[in-house]
Amino acid sequence: DTGVSQNPRHKITKRGQNVTFRCDPISEHNRLYWYRQTLGQGPEFLTYFQNEAQLEKSRLLSDRFSAERPKGSFSTLEIQRTEQGDSAMYLCASSTRDPYSLHFGNGTRLTVT
Amino acid sequence: KQEVTQIPAALSVPEGENLVLNCSFTDSAIYNLQWFRQDPGKGLTSLLLIQSSQREQTSGRLNASLDKSSGRSTLYIAASQPGDSATYLCAVPTRELGSTLGRLYFGRGTQLTVWP
């Protein structure tokens, strides 16, 4: 169990640029979640995958955001035309069939200047 | 929509003190409640999960209680140590029909500092 891995750890980008983050879940975990955490707030749910199927998206996931999990293993989260309000920590978590046993990665911190 | 509130927002105590962190939620019909720890710049680590049918859950120096009827949970930390310094968050899963149970509603957390 090597844990959930997220890359990059930090990303600084200029407003209007596109960014992509990667999440590698624990190998036997078929469920994968993305959360966003802004400074001083708790994490907020963005989206959920079971294997390669994206089964749920929150209203926070605007049309500038897209997430994929093409082979049911790693996942990517892309933000197009970044805005300063997108600055946050993006957290990935994975679980087995027990949805309450979430294992979180260390996150990708995005700063939009 | 479930609202989760945590007080205090920050707490600073000397080593050795026993302390209590508070969490409240607006919809008492919860499946369970979890307490997480978050170190600066890091992800979350689950500390304790209390099922809705339970009143307490213990792990080492940590004890979490749950009072569904009043919409409250407390995390008690005994004999605090500098290594306990972190942000502690509580979370409850959604009850929205068709939503994944891994969709958690988090409080803002309590930032704890334990000084030697």
Side-chain angles (χ1 to χ4, degrees):
Chain A
D1 179 353
T2 57
V4 178
S5 177
Q6 292 190 248
N7 288 288
R9 290 298 318 278
H10 303 276
K11 178 70 177 179
I12 300 173
T13 191
K14 293 185 178 180
R15 189 176 53 188
Q17 298 295 305
N18 300 342
V19 294
T20 300
F21 312 138
R22 176 177 170 128
C23 171
D24 288 90
I26 294 171
S27 59
E28 64 269 24
H29 287 188
N30 65 335
R31 301 182 180 201
L32 187 145
Y33 311 80
W34 285 98
Y35 280 79
R36 181 176 73 181
Q37 185 176 25
T38 54
L39 203 61
Q41 304 290 320
E44 294 177 290
F45 172 84
L46 291 178
T47 191
Y48 159 63
F49 289 86
Q50 185 168 321
N51 300 310
E52 67 276 7
Q54 187 175 21
L55 298 183
E56 189 170 353
K57 295 191 290 185
S58 84
R59 59 176 175 78
L60 294 176
L61 214 66
S62 75
D63 55 6
R64 296 186 297 106
F65 288 69
S66 63
E68 294 183 342
R69 194 182 184 198
K71 296 183 179 179
S73 57
F74 72 92
S75 175
T76 58
L77 178 67
E78 180 183 17
I79 308 175
Q80 296 182 328
R81 305 180 303 281
T82 52
E83 302 172 356
Q84 287 189 322
D86 297 330
S87 295
M89 174 80 87
Y90 290 83
L91 293 164
C92 176
S94 68
S95 72
T96 58
R97 294 181 66 181
D98 177 2
Y100 304 129
S101 183
L102 296 184
H103 295 253
F104 281 86
N106 285 330
T108 293
R109 178 164 295 285
L110 172 67
T111 302
V112 182
T113 61
Chain B
K1 179 191 164 187
Q2 178 75 267
E3 300 282 344
V4 180
T5 304
Q6 291 188 247
I7 54 171
L11 186 61
S12 181
V13 300
E15 182 176 8
E17 274 207 7
N18 302 325
L19 55 99
V20 175
L21 309 181
N22 297 290
C23 171
S24 61
F25 42 94
T26 53
D27 182 355
S28 61
I30 61 171
Y31 294 125
N32 58 58
L33 183 144
Q34 279 196 76
W35 283 93
F36 290 86
R37 169 182 172 140
Q38 186 174 31
D39 291 287
K42 298 291 181 66
L44 284 70
T45 301
S46 180
L47 297 173
L48 288 165
L49 182 148
I50 315 178
Q51 299 291 353
S52 61
S53 57
Q54 296 178 306
R55 295 298 296 264
E56 282 191 5
Q57 190 68 255
T58 298
S59 176
R61 294 181 295 108
L62 305 180
N63 176 276
S65 68
L66 176 63
D67 184 343
K68 276 183 54 178
S69 61
S70 66
R72 294 183 181 184
S73 176
T74 61
L75 180 66
Y76 175 82
I77 303 178
S80 58
Q81 303 171 357
D84 295 331
S85 298
T87 297
Y88 291 81
L89 300 107
C90 65
V92 295
T94 182
R95 284 182 59 91
E96 294 171 27
L97 193 62
S99 186
T100 173
L101 294 173
R103 181 172 184 162
L104 303 180
Y105 290 104
F106 285 87
R108 293 184 178 185
T110 294
Q111 186 174 358
L112 173 65
T113 302
V114 181
W115 40 277

